[in-house]
Amino acid sequence: MVNQAKRTSDYFEMSCFNYIVRFYELNGYELEVKNLQAGKYRYKCSPAGIQSNFSHFEATIEIENKKKSFEIQHNLAAQSSQDEKIFTTPDISIINKGKVKYTTEYYSTKTRFSYVENKDLMTFCEVKQFNPFPELLFNFIGVLNELKFEYMTDDGVKHDTDHIAPSLLISGKPNKQTSAIKESLEGRYCINIIYDLFYNATFTFSKGNINELRKTGKKPNR
């Protein structure tokens, strides 16, 4: 039963990763798979392991005749925006191309550690296979403050390329209380809180609805 629950959670996380890839594709980026393992895409469904042993996507867009590329990474440790010595691992990260770093100085065991510096982290997503509840939503704001405190303003940070705002992707349906919390938090911060993705992900990340999701540096469409 535990293994089945873990498998379901991993499948949901992989699906959400794919929907973030789709977000960039629908926003005009060219997507390319990188670092296949034995000819297959290898997802990284836990913080364990180093990035070079797993696959990722490269997203490229042309702005004013210049191409800019980013990577969509899975379970990559990210440096805090408050303290350069500490790290946490969001489920999905959008980073500047080629900026995954490695060190043996992080763990006392000298185990190799892969991470991205905060300056190269554009945005991130957390994936939760739960029905939403208040503490889950407020905990996400703590992660936002730690990783991208500058997004805790109404306008967020404007980039010259479109990025999804930091997002909490939740499988379950909201109730009256969690719907009210979502509305309040999205009104205060540059974020998306997205519910009911088990059933509505295809609709939410469709071509007709993708612009309803908030992007960094832009007011919500409501």
Side-chain angles (χ1 to χ4, degrees), residues 11-150:
Y11 286 151
F12 178 63
E13 188 173 306
M14 288 187 287
S15 294
C16 287
F17 183 92
N18 292 342
Y19 281 118
I20 296 303
V21 171
R22 179 165 173 76
F23 171 90
Y24 280 89
E25 184 176 34
L26 290 176
N27 276 283
Y29 284 77
E30 293 181 9
L31 276 298
E32 185 176 356
V33 174
K34 295 291 185 178
N35 204 37
L36 293 176
Q37 303 291 305
K40 297 180 180 179
Y41 193 95
R42 188 181 185 191
Y43 290 92
K44 187 171 185 276
C45 291
S46 82
I50 58 172
Q51 282 337 87
S52 58
N53 290 334
F54 297 88
S55 307
H56 64 273
F57 276 84
E58 184 177 302
T60 302
I61 195 166
E62 187 171 315
I63 304 291
E64 296 179 351
N65 297 318
K66 293 183 179 179
K67 289 190 174 183
K68 296 196 173 186
S69 295
F70 304 90
E71 293 174 1
I72 306 172
Q73 292 278 357
H74 201 181
N75 278 300
L76 171 65
Q79 184 183 49
S80 168
S81 59
Q82 309 277 4
D83 185 337
E84 64 180 17
K85 296 179 182 177
I86 62 175
F87 298 81
T88 190
T89 305
D91 295 309
I92 303 167
S93 300
I94 313 304
I95 71 169
N96 285 321
K97 178 183 175 181
K99 295 301 183 178
V100 175
K101 294 183 176 293
Y102 299 89
T103 182
T104 57
E105 299 301 315
Y106 183 70
Y107 296 112
S108 58
T109 58
K110 300 299 182 182
T111 301
R112 202 171 182 211
F113 176 66
S114 50
Y115 68 97
V116 63
E117 293 182 352
N118 193 268
K119 66 180 181 178
D120 290 312
L121 176 67
M122 298 294 101
T123 186
F124 68 95
C125 301
E126 287 282 86
V127 179
K128 301 298 179 185
Q129 192 203 338
F130 294 117
N131 286 323
F133 55 93
E135 292 77 11
L136 177 67
L137 307 180
F138 296 129
N139 285 344
F140 176 68
I141 301 305
V143 177
L144 177 69
N145 179 62
E146 197 62 40
L147 284 182
K148 281 296 178 188
F149 72 90
E150 63 268 33

Side-chain angles (χ1 to χ4, degrees), residues 195-212:
Y195 293 142
D196 200 19
L197 285 177
F198 255 146
Y199 295 101
N200 286 324
T202 301
F203 175 82
T204 300
F205 288 93
S206 66
K207 187 173 183 179
N209 292 295
I210 203 77
N211 287 330
E212 296 301 311

